[in-house]
Amino acid sequence: MDPVWRHILRLSMWVGVLGFMRIFSLLSRDRFDNLTTLAYTSPVQYYKIAGLLSVLFACSIAWYLGCFVFFPASITFLTLEFLPVVLDTVQVMTKYFAHLLDQWRENGFESKRIISYYTELAADVLILGCTLLQYLQLLWMHGISFGLVDIVLLLNVRSVLKNLHSKLQIHRERWRALSYVRSRYVHASIAEIAAYNDDCAICREKMKTAKKLACGHLFHL
């Protein structure tokens, strides 16, 4: 952009507002993680988080629509700034509603953990993808001249690619392990679960449904 201080200040304040929303999104994720470890949480707490997440999502959409009015020339750059905030918020909302279903249903929501895992994985991969695209855009805008800025950007691109590879590699290993476990288990009966009356030794949550391995031990999926 042209080095006009008025424009730079206005854009900095605009991105600063988005930064505050990102911080609140991360705080809501930490708050949700804390609530899932408590034995009992009042409905008011759930309503507060649901309200905060809804407000964050609405504000993010309003912020992005405002970009078309105030900064039409920088819309590509601002889109890559906007997407991580929305993805983080949607990730927490999805995990949150899956948790509520698990709380409300008598036999729990068996797919809760799978939904939470894949939601977090998809959000992390997409956010890393947005970050990578943003670095590549900055490289293209700046022009590769092998100066200090270009070296820093290339190192950041390398770091993002390394993180992406690491996440996909971990997911591949988990998928193999899960496929192996699925081939070895059968569904445990309600009587067997009641007889043990125990928490899952892995995730430490109460077993409303369980899988029985060949050795006879019961675990969550």
Side-chain angles (χ1 to χ4, degrees):
M1 60 188 298
D2 296 329
V4 178
W5 283 108
R6 184 177 69 256
H7 296 163
I8 294 174
L9 180 62
R10 187 174 63 175
L11 184 61
S12 299
M13 291 175 63
W14 196 254
V15 176
V17 171
L18 185 67
F20 274 106
M21 288 192 286
R22 179 71 184 272
I23 290 171
F24 278 112
S25 178
L26 295 174
L27 285 173
S28 64
R29 182 200 290 187
D30 291 341
R31 180 61 176 160
F32 167 74
D33 291 339
N34 176 256
L35 287 179
T36 56
T37 62
L38 301 178
Y40 171 76
T41 306
S42 65
V44 176
Q45 295 294 329
Y46 288 124
Y47 298 151
K48 283 182 179 179
I49 292 188
L52 175 62
L53 290 171
S54 300
V55 169
L56 281 173
F57 186 75
C59 288
S60 299
I61 298 297
W63 181 94
Y64 185 60
L65 294 176
C67 294
F68 287 92
V69 178
F70 297 107
F71 309 103
S74 305
I75 195 65
T76 305
F77 175 80
L78 292 174
T79 298
L80 295 173
E81 290 282 348
F82 156 80
L83 284 175
V85 181
V86 171
L87 289 170
D88 256 333
T89 306
V90 170
Q91 175 196 168
V92 180
M93 291 175 73
T94 304
K95 293 166 68 174
Y96 178 71
F97 288 121
H99 178 71
L100 288 183
L101 279 174
D102 186 58
Q103 295 289 317
W104 290 339
R105 289 187 176 182
E106 185 177 352
N107 294 325
F109 183 46
E110 188 176 346
S111 301
K112 167 193 167 184
R113 293 157 195 84
I114 296 176
I115 290 174
S116 298
Y117 171 73
Y118 279 105
T119 300
E120 186 172 344
L121 175 68
D124 288 345
V125 169
L126 289 172
I127 288 171
L128 285 171
C130 290
T131 306
L132 179 62
L133 287 174
Q134 194 169 46
Y135 286 141
L136 293 175
Q137 183 193 19
L138 290 173
L139 276 171
W140 178 74
M141 291 170 61
H142 182 259
I144 299 178
S145 57
F146 297 102
L148 181 60
V149 173
D150 301 284
I151 293 172
V152 171
L153 287 172
L154 288 171
L155 287 174
N156 286 336
V157 168
R158 179 177 177 272
S159 176
V160 171
L161 289 172
K162 186 177 179 180
N163 286 337
L164 267 173
H165 179 266
S166 175
K167 283 191 176 295
L168 295 175
Q169 184 69 23
I170 291 172
H171 169 66
R172 191 181 299 114
E173 292 172 359
R174 285 179 176 176
W175 180 257
R176 288 174 181 170
L178 184 59
S179 299
Y180 173 76
V181 170
R182 278 176 170 168
S183 67
R184 299 291 300 272
Y185 74 67
V186 295
H187 287 274
S189 66
I190 297 176
E192 287 177 313
I193 298 172
Y196 280 95
N197 190 25
D198 198 9
D199 295 337
C200 176
I202 297 176
C203 64
R204 306 303 302 165
E205 293 188 14
K206 198 70 178 175
M207 288 194 290
K208 300 172 183 177
T209 59
K211 312 299 178 185
K212 185 177 180 179
L213 300 183
C215 56
H217 292 106
L218 304 183
F219 296 102
H220 274 140
L221 174 61

